[in-house]
Amino acid sequence: MPNFNSPLQNSLLWVYEGQTQYYGQVVAARSGLLTKQQAMDSLAMTAATFDTRVGREWRALQDTTNDPIISQRQPKGWLSWQRDEDYYSEGQLIWLDVDTTIREKTGGRKSLDDFARAFYGVRDGDYAPAPYTFEDVVAALNGVVANDWATFLRTRLDADGPDARAPLDGLACGGWRLAFTDKPTDYMKTLYAELKRNDFTYSLGFQTGEANKIRSVQWNSLAFKSGLAAGMEIVAVNGQAATPDRLAEAVTAAKDPATPITLIVKDDDQYRTVAFDYHDGLRYPRLERIPGTPDRLGDILTPRRR
């Protein structure tokens, strides 16, 4: 039996940290701290992040539960390739998948709330540690509705390689899908204005922060292939002093194949010119409804009836 001399392991961090992320958004929407639209727009950003998490080619989500031990939360230079504690927000997507699957299989009579009540609502008032195993999680899920939950979870947790994909089935089962448009959602605009970020991840492949400094570069993106990296400063866009608006305007103008996107970039005391052969315009994530499907995601974000 585990005791205080038995060190806890990290392998199940995706359970409670993933559900912390999941219920953090769900309860915020149900309580009115977020509007339903804000919660969906936030979920779209999470889905887009992990749909393009190229590190999945070599590293499964399950392995990221070792990050607090391996890297001790030190900054990583290439987050999209190295991955870093993805069990939080990718775990959120897995639990959305679980929730919508329970609702589908029970005709809406049960949900992840029933699992949470059964799994966490034990030993009320007892502050002693209550460790659990993967098998305990599976058994509790089967107590809500019978399914091959072990395979369901392991398929999503252990997926890696060139054909591995993000766990976005919960969106589809919830009646929605990830889409991209040339304008950010109101939630994204407000969030990034507060954080002083500008997101070109899904077009040129990087984000900028204050003073036009590059904050992050997506692995194997156009920016990556052009040699850009975090910490470099964008000095000029098409011959004019760089601003986020001018960069956005240049990306939009380059939808005309004859129009280039040319940046002057400062790397320490070195300057160089970078040209992008890109013509697909700005791309920002949002969710769009799948016609003719039940809106289970909408139900999840709606306040519960007493």
Side-chain angles (χ1 to χ4, degrees):
M1 288 290 293
N3 56 48
F4 287 111
N5 294 323
S6 301
L8 293 174
Q9 302 301 311
N10 286 349
S11 63
L12 293 172
L13 281 172
W14 55 271
V15 178
Y16 72 87
E17 298 291 22
Q19 284 192 52
T20 296
Q21 293 295 106
Y22 181 70
Y23 273 117
Q25 296 248 304
V26 168
V27 174
R30 289 177 182 173
S31 67
L33 291 174
L34 291 176
T35 66
K36 183 184 291 187
Q37 188 60 55
Q38 287 171 332
M40 289 196 294
D41 291 346
S42 175
L43 182 59
M45 293 174 65
T46 298
T49 295
F50 292 101
D51 193 43
T52 57
R53 189 62 104 212
V54 292
R56 197 183 314 280
E57 293 180 17
W58 73 275
R59 191 179 190 194
L61 172 65
Q62 179 64 71
D63 189 54
T64 70
T65 63
N66 295 311
D67 274 331
I69 298 171
I70 296 171
S71 63
Q72 299 183 17
R73 295 187 165 168
Q74 295 299 308
K76 293 184 177 179
W78 298 100
L79 188 60
S80 58
W81 179 249
Q82 292 169 285
R83 309 196 74 176
D84 180 50
E85 300 188 21
D86 287 355
Y87 53 83
Y88 278 93
S89 294
E90 190 169 324
Q92 174 188 355
L93 297 174
I94 289 176
W95 287 110
L96 172 63
D97 203 352
V98 172
D99 198 352
T100 54
T101 298
I102 292 172
R103 290 167 185 264
E104 180 183 45
K105 286 184 172 294
T106 63
R109 295 185 302 277
K110 293 184 178 181
S111 71
L112 190 65
D113 297 348
D114 295 280
F115 165 84
R117 187 180 301 110
F119 192 69
Y120 298 114
V122 297
R123 291 165 47 175
D124 190 27
D126 184 350
Y127 289 93
Y132 55 87
T133 65
F134 177 79
E135 290 71 25
D136 293 332
V137 177
V138 169
L141 286 169
N142 275 311
V144 177
V145 61
N147 190 32
D148 185 1
W149 290 112
T151 299
F152 182 102
L153 293 171
R154 292 263 57 99
T155 298
R156 290 154 178 76
L157 293 166
D158 299 333
D160 64 7
D163 297 324
R165 60 190 184 89
L168 300 188
D169 290 348
L171 284 178
C173 192
W176 296 78
R177 62 189 164 214
L178 178 63
F180 290 86
T181 65
D182 61 0
K183 290 182 173 55
T185 62
D186 289 341
Y187 175 85
M188 187 178 189
K189 284 193 291 186
T190 301
L191 177 65
Y192 278 8
E194 180 70 22
L195 296 174
K196 295 181 172 57
R197 296 183 191 176
N198 303 281
D199 197 350
F200 301 94
T201 300
Y202 307 107
S203 51
L204 301 180
F206 61 83
Q207 281 189 12
T208 62
E210 294 186 84
N212 300 309
K213 288 283 186 72
I214 295 176
R215 294 190 72 261
S216 64
V217 174
Q218 178 78 3
W219 187 270
N220 214 30
S221 65
L222 289 174
F224 176 88
K225 293 174 181 176
S226 297
L228 300 188
M232 295 181 182
E233 178 186 350
I234 300 173
V235 177
V237 179
N238 289 346
Q240 293 184 296
T243 67
D245 287 344
R246 281 178 176 161
L247 183 51
E249 289 164 4
V251 174
T252 299
K255 293 170 76 172
D256 176 356
T259 303
I261 304 172
T262 303
L263 309 181
I264 296 177
V265 178
K266 182 176 183 289
D267 181 11
D268 197 11
D269 61 352
Q270 302 294 311
Y271 290 81
R272 65 190 182 92
T273 300
V274 177
F276 289 96
D277 184 14
Y278 175 78
H279 307 287
D280 290 333
L282 296 167
R283 300 180 77 244
Y284 301 104
R286 65 177 64 233
L287 298 184
E288 67 177 21
R289 194 76 172 84
I290 301 174
T293 61
D295 184 8
R296 296 189 181 95
L297 178 57
D299 292 341
I300 289 169
L301 299 175
T302 297
R304 291 177 53 183
R305 297 183 180 88
R306 290 187 180 272

